[in-house]
Amino acid sequence: MARTLTGITPSGTLHIGNYFGAMRPAIEAQKAGDCFYFIANYHSMTTVTDATERRAHTLGIALDWLACGLDPKVSVFWRQSDVPEVTELTWMLGSVTPMGLLERAHSYKDKTAKGISPNFGLFAYPVLMAADILLYDTHRVPVGKDQKQHLEMTRDIAIKFNETYGADTLVVPEPVIREDVAVVPGLDGQKMSKSYGNTIEIFGDEKALRKKIMGIKMDSRTPAEPKPDADQNLAIQLLKLVAPAEVAADFENRLRAGGLGYGDLKKALFEHYWNYFAAARTRRAELAANLDHVEAVLRDGAQRARAVASVVLQRSRKASGLE
Ligand code: ADP
Ligand code: TRP
């Protein structure tokens, strides 16, 4: 069976763009089975140097994913650093990775251009990512567009390793770039992104989130005026994600015809959004009250991940003459 694997960066609060763009597809992929999902806490070391922050974000992401439907009985779900063998494969891969390949990485160039002072980890980031993927004989790697180059590098590195040490040592994976997933617009109409400060969080304080949604800027047309561009309305677009199709269509029709005020529309949006995540919110609170269980889930995942990793690592050690 084709194995699907992806890494989740532990980087703060998730928004509904992350949910519809990345989490929901990953959770749906569980139906086909053999999914490997891990929290990339080694990767976070390249930019975050606060230990408390890393711990908190790692745990927070675990809670978010489990609450949203990641089923650890179906998927293997673990914390990257609980399988430290990945760092050994990183070294082995790094030694067949040309400098030029890493020098061309957009993410490295972008981060240094933003003023992040480059360290070895940031430069080697794509090699660690390649190790993440190759250590588990992965076939498919679903990622956002921004990770496309990293996947190409992973393939290049795997091919180079196999050319050097034996054709069947590592599985060369296929990227699955989520281009078909619609971009979720943020509160200002641009792509929802934590870097634009226009997000609606999946989990958060009810009052603050209601205020955010009620604060969405609309135009100055009166409620009675027909609005032929109703499908372009931001609240309608968001409503289509969180409300049943017929409810969203009804609001859209009423807005188009005239007679629906923006305040009422935004109120409906808030209610449907709040409802959509209600079950996940309850689950998250239960999980947060039982952190020992969450820890046990991650450890169990690490054990299952390690069982696969040790086979691939041994194959690579033998092929390369370490053993
Ligand atoms: P951000 O832009 O908030 O920093 P990330 O880059 O951490 O988000 O996104 C993680 C994944 O979530 C992305 O690879 C992408 O697949 C998905 N994603 C993020 N924002 C959106 C959005 N507005 N619409 C659809 N998918 C999104
Ligand atoms: N770099 C990825 C991101 O920022 C996270 C990641 C780490 C990853 N290792 C991976 C994704 C392996 C897919 C496969 O989103």
Side-chain angles (χ1 to χ4, degrees):
M1 199 198 312
R3 173 164 300 146
T4 298
L5 172 144
T6 200
I8 303 155
T9 311
S11 62
T13 317
L14 293 175
H15 52 76
I16 66 170
N18 298 137
Y19 178 78
F20 290 105
M23 296 172 83
R24 197 171 66 171
I27 285 159
E28 279 172 0
Q30 295 184 124
K31 287 191 200 119
D34 209 13
C35 293
F36 277 50
Y37 298 136
F38 67 93
I39 307 172
N41 61 342
Y42 278 139
H43 278 104
S44 77
M45 298 190 87
T46 62
T47 47
V48 177
T49 52
D50 185 311
T52 309
E53 189 186 330
R54 180 170 3 270
R55 229 173 260 123
H57 279 159
T58 304
L59 182 65
I61 287 281
L63 293 175
D64 292 343
W65 278 75
L66 291 169
C68 284
L70 190 149
D71 181 351
K73 288 195 206 71
V74 175
S75 302
V76 181
F77 184 45
W78 76 103
R79 189 169 32 210
Q80 188 183 27
S81 61
D82 286 346
V83 187
E85 287 91 330
V86 73
T87 60
E88 184 179 347
L89 188 62
T90 301
W91 179 257
M92 293 161 74
L93 298 176
S95 305
V96 299
T97 305
M99 286 293 282
L101 187 76
L102 297 178
E103 277 160 0
R104 285 193 295 276
H106 305 309
S107 73
Y108 174 76
K109 288 194 271 189
D110 292 350
K111 282 181 183 152
T112 48
K114 270 192 207 145
I116 295 178
S117 82
N119 53 47
F120 169 75
L122 195 64
F123 191 63
Y125 186 111
V127 187
L128 176 59
M129 182 157 160
D132 287 329
I133 297 166
L134 302 174
L135 186 58
Y136 299 99
D137 278 347
T138 304
H139 302 103
R140 295 155 46 86
V141 187
V143 284
K145 266 183 256 180
D146 60 323
Q147 297 296 316
K148 191 171 172 194
Q149 194 194 27
H150 285 153
L151 261 293
E152 286 161 2
M153 295 167 88
T154 298
R155 287 174 56 87
D156 287 349
I157 293 170
I159 290 166
K160 190 77 192 289
F161 196 86
N162 286 346
E163 278 171 6
T164 311
Y165 294 122
D168 294 323
T169 315
L170 298 172
V171 172
V172 182
E174 296 295 330
V176 182
I177 308 292
R178 294 181 293 247
E179 296 191 88
D180 50 327
V181 173
V183 171
V184 177
L187 293 165
D188 56 359
Q190 289 188 81
K191 171 187 186 276
M192 187 177 291
S193 168
K194 60 181 173 291
S195 13
Y196 302 150
N198 62 357
T199 55
I200 302 172
E201 283 67 42
I202 305 174
F203 302 107
D205 174 63
E206 178 170 5
K207 219 167 138 189
L209 283 159
R210 186 192 301 272
K211 201 168 152 199
K212 270 191 172 188
I213 288 179
M214 292 311 290
I216 296 176
K217 292 240 175 337
M218 299 270 153
D219 57 51
S220 56
R221 287 176 286 181
T222 64
E225 250 177 275
K227 302 182 180 64
D229 53 353
D231 59 329
Q232 303 295 313
N233 182 282
L234 178 60
I236 292 289
Q237 287 176 15
L238 293 172
L239 194 64
K240 285 180 182 167
L241 294 170
V242 293
E246 64 281 8
V247 173
D250 181 52
F251 273 96
E252 184 177 341
N253 290 338
R254 283 162 60 200
L255 191 67
R256 185 174 293 112
L260 172 67
Y262 288 140
D264 288 339
L265 172 60
K266 288 190 276 189
K267 223 187 262 170
L269 171 61
F270 175 78
E271 297 304 333
H272 281 283
Y273 147 73
W274 197 252
N275 257 329
Y276 188 89
F277 291 106
R281 206 172 291 120
T282 307
R283 269 201 302 277
R284 197 181 190 286
E286 285 163 6
L287 290 161
N290 193 355
L291 294 181
D292 288 351
H293 165 73
V294 176
E295 189 58 37
V297 161
L298 292 174
R299 290 211 181 276
D300 173 64
Q303 232 174 38
R304 289 154 67 201
R306 176 172 265 155
V308 177
S310 60
V311 173
V312 181
L313 195 62
Q314 214 198 13
R315 204 197 295 141
S316 309
R317 288 176 62 102
K318 282 202 171 129
S320 59
L322 289 173
E323 280 183 21

